[in-house]
Amino acid sequence: MSGPTSPTAARTAGDIMIEADGVSRAFGSLRALDSVSLSARRGTVLGLLGHNGAGKTTLVNVLTAALPPSSGRAAVAGFDVTRAPREVRKRIGLTGQFASVDPQLSGRDNLVLLARLLGADRRSARVRADELLELFGLQGFASRRPGTYSGGLRRRLDLAASLVGHPDVIFLDEPTTGLDPSSRLNLWEIVEDLVAGGTTVLLTTQYLDEADRLADSITVLSAGAVIASGTAAELKAQVGTCTVTVTPDSAAGPAVTCAALRQAGLEPVPDRENGTVAVAVEASKDIAQVIRALDRAGIGATALSFREPSLDDVYLALAGRSAGAAS
Amino acid sequence: MTTPSIGTPNPAPPVPDPAPGPAAAVWNGSSTATQIRVLTGRSLRALVSDPGVLAFGLFQPVIILFVLTQVFTGMGKSAHFPAGVSYLDFVMPAVLVDNAVQSAVQSGIGVVDDLKNGMVARLRSLPIHPASLLVARSLANLVRAAIQIAVVIVLAVVVLGYSPKGGAGQLLASAGLAVFITWTLGWAFIAAATWLRRAEPMQNLSVIALIPLMFASSAYIPVSDLPEWLRVIAKVNPLTYAIDTARALALDLPGAGAAVPAVLISAGIAVVGGVFAVVGLRRPL
Ligand SMILES: Nc1ncnc2c1ncn2[C@@H]1O[C@H](COP(=O)(O)OP(=O)(O)OP(=O)(O)O)[C@@H](O)[C@H]1O
Ligand SMILES: [Mg+2]
């Protein structure tokens, strides 16, 4: 009944631990996932970036065999999620976007319960629970119920819960939302340790510094579709190596500025929220090109900054581009 | 790097990984029986750590027991009231069945809680049979109902001097029937929980379904003394059979044969409820 979808494929492509191939998922008329393809090798971190409603959680649900895809194929640890969901579940850990712990059991008892359900005897269940409590700095809260925890503590317990069974592949859906800076750093270190030990991680996040630091490869989702993927460096290369940010004065405004820069052969991206315009340029000497274009159009700028690209620029540029294409 | 777990047929043997960290000490999964045992223990533990739930559950049957016996004993008996039977003797089985029905609702509420707090989501991501959780909830609730029924009986005996003619053995049998009703009817509410997934509609459902079922039955007065239209309902009401059986047993009256339809109907409810519950739980969250 269960088993790898294709034994030879699983063995030869053994290093691919997460794989989606044209996965779509509709909710009524809404296409929450639109032909998504991605893959991650053993011992790497795949970062999944996207706005609210981009489809990150839906994709995690499909990959963890909680939600059947409408079409397409997905495999985790070499097992097809629709045909061998049990094999998939044996090898994964999931920290969902919303905490999943029993509020009536103490922190330790929550972990012990999961270990017992995974087949541990009483003793090794307790040993494993204590290991994880220590790893996440929860020893002091072990005998309290999660109902009395702060949001961040509950989040940490939830993360610990997903690691109980030593999973090969871990899915973390916005794992650091609600964590304070030091807990975030602590979590990053835990993820790095796990990955060094051969665990594969899929991590969704809204924090670009998080993806930049942890992810070996990044997939950007927008309205259910993959709009970009690659390493952080590759994504940065896609939007140019450097960014000039222009803050036009109120007489001009972002729209006029964009038009002027486009006329000069540049590719400006407006950031309406901040009233600025970002321009990708090849190198620092190209700032002159931007200034000349503004000067020619008679646009005054209140501020002009130059920055090496960050993932934020990539994200903004890609999301802006796809939003432009959609409208 | 080798990939020991990939392509290995079920069950995957825990192959030690040379690298430190994951895949070191992987357990081999648990049997469905173990899952049910562990999860039942978890629900029972919540019962011990939060005895308020138990106390609150006792509230209604105890109120009914004391208020009804005081009120109706003072009013005198209706035309078809069995001769030589006190109102306490008459109503006690109904109190037990009412308690059983109320407890059954609690099985469903427990499942709604698990859906809300994410336990179902967590268990669904693990190699665990999802029905284990439902069976565990229903078993834990059976224990809870048995404790409540025991407390009600002890109170009736000690405070009100309840001493049915059938003797301890048959009283126990009638209590056993009530517990059985809890367990079977519980599956109807567990099924409702997996489909409705919220506590309020569950509570509403239980009030809408249970008040008419209890009053249009032989619970509080003999069926022959009910008005015509209620009598029709009472005669097809499975609770009438349950109450008649419990009463016949406790009072050593003829009519324990009603046990057959009572058990069959409630077993039917359990089977249908169980199927719907498992299907309902499979639906995406
Ligand atoms: N069960 C459901 N029924 C109907 N629509 C759904 C359901 N789940 C998700 N959606 C829709 O699918 C889209 C993608 O949702 P999803 O939760 O995957 O987004 P997300 O990227 O995780 O967003 P966020 O950052 O807010 O968590 C949204 O438009 C959402 O409204
Ligand atoms: Mg989400």
Side-chain angles (χ1 to χ4, degrees), chain A residues 10 26 31 65 71 103 137 152 167 169 175 185 239 258 264 272 281 320:
Chain A
R31 279 179 88 75
S71 65
V169 183
L185 206 60
V239 276
C258 277
R272 292 199 177 81
V281 294

Side-chain angles (χ1 to χ4, degrees), chain B residues 80-98:
Chain B
H80 296 85
F81 205 87
V85 173
S86 74
Y87 193 71
L88 172 64
D89 282 346
F90 182 82
V91 86
M92 190 60 185
V95 170
L96 297 188
V97 171
D98 179 65

Side-chain angles (χ1 to χ4, degrees), chain A residues 27 30 32 50-59 97 173-174 206, chain B residues 285:
Chain A
F27 293 110
L30 178 91
H51 287 303
N52 288 141
K56 303 181 297 291
T57 299
T58 307
L59 184 58
Q97 191 168 359
D173 197 355
E174 300 193 21
Q206 314 244 7
Chain B
L285 296 175

Side-chain angles (χ1 to χ4, degrees), chain A residues 120-306:
Chain A
D121 58 50
R122 255 178 247 281
R123 248 191 59 125
S124 40
R126 236 173 284 138
V127 168
R128 182 66 182 144
D130 286 333
E131 259 170 42
L132 287 166
L133 289 167
E134 196 188 323
L135 187 64
F136 286 90
L138 287 167
Q139 304 100 312
F141 306 90
S143 48
R144 278 170 47 180
R145 295 190 202 178
T148 69
Y149 284 14
S150 72
L153 284 177
R154 207 172 309 137
R155 194 78 199 146
R156 270 142 74 181
L157 180 64
D158 202 32
L159 287 161
S162 66
L163 297 182
V164 169
H166 300 278
D168 286 331
V169 183
I170 299 171
F171 294 87
L172 305 174
D173 197 355
E174 300 193 21
T176 59
T177 305
L179 292 191
D180 60 37
S182 80
S183 308
R184 261 182 103 194
L185 206 60
N186 177 245
L187 176 91
W188 289 352
E189 282 161 4
I190 291 169
V191 169
E192 282 163 351
D193 282 351
L194 289 168
V195 170
T199 306
T200 309
V201 177
L202 183 144
L203 171 126
T204 84
T205 184
Q206 314 244 7
Y207 302 115
L208 304 158
D209 54 334
E210 187 163 290
D212 209 355
R213 156 137 187 198
L214 291 178
D216 298 288
S217 69
I218 295 169
T219 294
V220 186
L221 276 184
S222 176
V226 175
I227 55 166
S229 63
T231 62
E234 281 164 3
L235 290 185
K236 286 172 185 173
Q238 278 196 29
V239 276
T241 43
C242 306
T243 306
V244 178
T245 305
V246 181
T247 311
D249 60 22
S250 49
V256 175
T257 311
C258 277
L261 292 170
R262 217 173 279 124
Q263 223 168 17
L266 295 161
E267 263 190 62
V269 177
D271 177 356
R272 292 199 177 81
E273 218 166 281
N274 298 316
T276 60
V277 175
V279 193
V281 294
E282 289 297 319
S284 47
K285 64 180 167 52
D286 295 331
I287 302 180
Q289 212 187 331
V290 175
I291 295 174
R292 267 199 303 278
L294 293 175
D295 191 36
R296 213 177 303 132
I299 294 168
T302 57
L304 192 78
S305 69
F306 174 76

Side-chain angles (χ1 to χ4, degrees), chain B residues 246-267:
Chain B
R247 190 171 282 148
L249 283 170
L251 301 182
D252 200 21
L253 295 170
V260 177
V263 168
L264 286 183
I265 292 173
S266 42

